[in-house]
Every structure is written in C-alpha cells, then in structure tokens.
Amino acid sequence: TVALWKKFPLCRLIKDFILSHGGWAVQFSGSGSSLFALFGDAGSAADCAAGLRNSQYGSSCTRIFTRDKEW
C-alpha cells in the first residue's frame, strides 16, 4: 500500500490527520474506494470523525463500530 499513499497524497494527509487524532492504524478498503481506521474506543473515533468533518479535508464517516455496538 506504500505506492497508494504516494499516488494519492490527499489520502496520506487524511491518514496523518487520523493518526494524530488517536487512530491506531489507517488503511484503504479492499477495493481502495475508502479509508478505514482503528481506534481504542468509540469516543476517540467519534472525536476524530467530528474533527475530519470540520477540517479542510471533509469527511463522510458513515458508521463507528465497537465490539458490542454500532454508532
């Protein structure tokens, strides 16, 4: 996936944003049409999603999943 981060620099910027806002890991989906991230808890994920929506990058975060609940 290193080549994809180089080919799509905006995705790299979004990845860096997510990682700097509590994300543990960020990857492209299997088809490459979206990014997903892993967080330690739903609160951190929600805060990061809100930060992305209010950032210059925008966001269309659709769902946050935890082990026992979908947000």
Side-chain angles (χ1 to χ4, degrees):
T1 61
V2 172
L4 288 174
W5 296 120
K6 288 181 181 180
K7 184 172 182 174
F8 300 104
L10 177 58
C11 289
R12 178 60 195 214
L13 291 172
I14 294 169
K15 175 184 178 179
D16 291 344
F17 180 96
I18 292 169
L19 292 174
S20 70
H21 287 79
W24 290 354
V26 182
Q27 289 296 322
F28 286 96
S29 66
S31 64
S33 61
S34 62
L35 298 175
F36 68 93
L38 302 176
F39 290 84
D41 59 80
S44 296
D47 290 345
C48 183
L52 274 173
R53 281 192 292 278
N54 295 320
S55 75
Q56 63 189 7
Y57 308 120
S59 171
S60 60
C61 177
T62 56
R63 291 203 168 85
I64 297 171
F65 294 93
T66 62
R67 291 181 195 164
D68 58 348
K69 189 173 185 180
E70 178 182 338
W71 301 75

